[in-house]
Amino acid sequence: GAVVSQHPSWVICKSGTSVKIECRSLDFQATTMFWYRQFPKQSLMLMATSNEGSKATYEQGVEKDKFLINHASLTLSTLTVTSAHPEDSSFYICSARTEGTEAFFGQGTRLTVV
Amino acid sequence: SQQGEEDPQALSIQEGENATMNCSYKTSINNLQWYRQNSGRGLVHLILIRSNEREKHSGRLRVTLDTSKKSSSLLITASRAADTASYFCATDRGKLIFGQGTELSVKP
């Protein structure tokens, strides 16, 4: 299957700082990328959907100014957690797809805010 | 927002037994997909079943879809210890919305 690379796989940051997570589709062009958040022992919660070259569509309850999503090219999307706080600590997963096909997932990023 | 409900939430079986997981959803869909997640890792796509399909097979996996009941099931036959993982259904209406998941434990 296609490969989606997510980086970093884990990060620890101080409260108040910002963290950027990258999601790349390595061998296909992703018209759409999704960002999810997952708490321990829970399911994936969709945060936002991004299409290349346009603004991300955020799910209800997700703060746009806190979770900045950029989808600058067909192979790269970034999620920036701004002014991170301990409650933002979570597992963040991206996925990428071409319309109508299955989605391929990155390996996830474990964010710990101290 | 969660689209689907899955049951059971947890399932523990012996190697060689079959495992059945169910997924129910609320709205119309383009297709439904099943994924597997090993602890703390990304998701692996297992199978996609389109809204006009009723059953699909892939190796030891069998997926059914009943759009009239808005439900799907995943059957893993002849389970192995390596099948231990969390399994999620996801409904596709342009974006993937995941169910709560079933935590499967296969004991050797």
Side-chain angles (χ1 to χ4, degrees):
Chain A
V3 177
V4 174
S5 174
Q6 188 172 338
H7 178 80
S9 56
W10 60 271
V11 58
I12 301 173
C13 71
K14 291 185 177 180
S15 244
T17 61
S18 295
V19 173
K20 180 184 282 188
I21 302 169
E22 289 189 351
C23 181
R24 292 180 185 273
S25 56
L26 297 186
D27 50 3
F28 70 103
Q29 293 186 325
T31 51
T32 307
M33 288 189 172
F34 304 93
W35 287 94
Y36 294 86
R37 182 174 182 175
Q38 186 179 33
F39 291 103
K41 302 286 186 183
Q42 293 189 25
S43 185
L44 283 74
M45 297 292 293
L46 180 64
M47 298 174 68
T49 303
S50 76
N51 294 293
E52 184 264 340
S54 61
K55 289 184 179 180
T57 302
Y58 289 80
E59 294 297 304
Q60 193 171 8
V62 178
E63 297 176 61
K64 301 177 184 182
D65 295 333
K66 179 158 198 60
F67 299 101
L68 300 179
I69 291 171
N70 182 274
H71 192 163
S73 76
L74 284 171
T75 59
L76 173 64
S77 177
T78 60
L79 166 67
T80 302
V81 183
T82 63
S83 187
H85 290 283
E87 57 266 30
D88 299 325
S89 298
S90 191
F91 193 57
Y92 293 88
I93 309 176
C94 72
S95 73
R97 72 189 298 184
T98 302
E99 188 175 348
T101 67
E102 66 194 77
F104 297 95
F105 284 78
Q107 287 301 302
T109 297
R110 186 160 303 284
L111 170 64
T112 302
V113 185
V114 297
Chain B
S1 59
Q2 298 304 121
Q3 162 74 299
E5 297 288 330
E6 289 186 58
D7 77 272
Q9 290 188 351
L11 180 61
S12 181
I13 58 175
Q14 295 293 131
E15 255 189 334
E17 294 181 339
N18 295 341
T20 299
M21 289 159 268
N22 303 296
C23 168
S24 60
Y25 57 93
K26 298 174 184 174
T27 63
S28 62
I29 58 173
N30 298 331
N31 61 68
L32 185 142
Q33 304 181 34
W34 284 88
Y35 288 84
R36 166 197 168 121
Q37 183 182 35
N38 286 83
S39 181
R41 304 293 298 272
L43 274 73
V44 174
H45 182 264
L46 296 177
I47 201 162
L48 180 154
I49 185 165
R50 301 196 184 281
S51 59
N52 60 354
E53 297 177 307
R54 292 296 168 260
E55 188 171 311
K56 207 159 183 181
H57 296 254
S58 176
R60 293 184 295 114
L61 306 180
R62 174 179 161 242
V63 167
T64 62
L65 178 64
D66 187 333
T67 52
S68 66
K69 294 181 180 178
K70 291 186 168 58
S71 67
S72 175
S73 68
L74 170 67
L75 168 67
I76 303 175
T77 60
S79 64
R80 305 166 182 167
D83 294 329
T84 295
S86 293
Y87 292 81
F88 296 93
C89 68
T91 52
D92 189 351
R93 294 181 67 197
K95 55 186 180 182
L96 285 178
I97 302 296
F98 285 80
Q100 295 296 323
T102 294
E103 199 169 323
L104 174 66
S105 173
V106 182
K107 300 184 187 309

